[in-house]
Amino acid sequence: IGHRKMREKQIKKYLHTNDISYIPDLVSKMYPNLDNRLIKAAGRSVLAHLLHMRELGYVKATDNPNGKGWLLV
C-alpha cells in the first residue's frame, strides 16, 4: 500500500487540472532512465494507478483525437 500511495503522489505531481496528460508522457517523466524494454510494462502500471485514482475521484479520463488523456480533478 505504501508503494501505491507513493506512486499515486508521483502521478499527481505530473497531472494538471487544465492540461491533458498522456500515459507515454507520464512514463517518460516518472521513469527518465527506464530501459526501453520496460516502457510498455511501466505504461500498464501507470494505467492501473490511473484507473484506481479515477475510482477514488482524483483523476478523470478524456477521449480526444490524440487518444485517452488524463486530468487531475
Side-chain angles (χ1 to χ4, degrees):
I1 291 176
H3 176 75
R4 184 180 73 215
K5 297 266 187 212
M6 181 195 69
R7 189 65 68 215
E8 288 175 2
K9 184 176 177 181
Q10 187 180 26
I11 290 171
K12 285 181 185 178
K13 175 181 171 183
Y14 293 115
L15 288 178
H16 306 282
T17 56
N18 59 355
D19 189 24
I20 298 170
S21 297
Y22 299 93
I23 290 175
D25 298 327
L26 293 170
V27 169
S28 67
K29 291 173 184 175
M30 293 170 63
Y31 306 99
N33 299 313
L34 186 64
D35 186 306
N36 286 338
R37 296 172 291 185
L38 301 176
I39 289 176
K40 286 184 182 180
R44 289 189 297 272
S45 175
V46 170
L47 174 59
H49 285 286
L50 287 166
L51 293 172
H52 181 258
M53 292 169 71
R54 182 175 65 182
E55 289 178 13
L56 298 174
Y58 299 147
V59 301
K60 66 179 179 179
T62 180
D63 290 316
N64 61 58
N66 295 324
K68 186 176 289 290
W70 295 88
L71 293 165
L72 196 58
V73 174

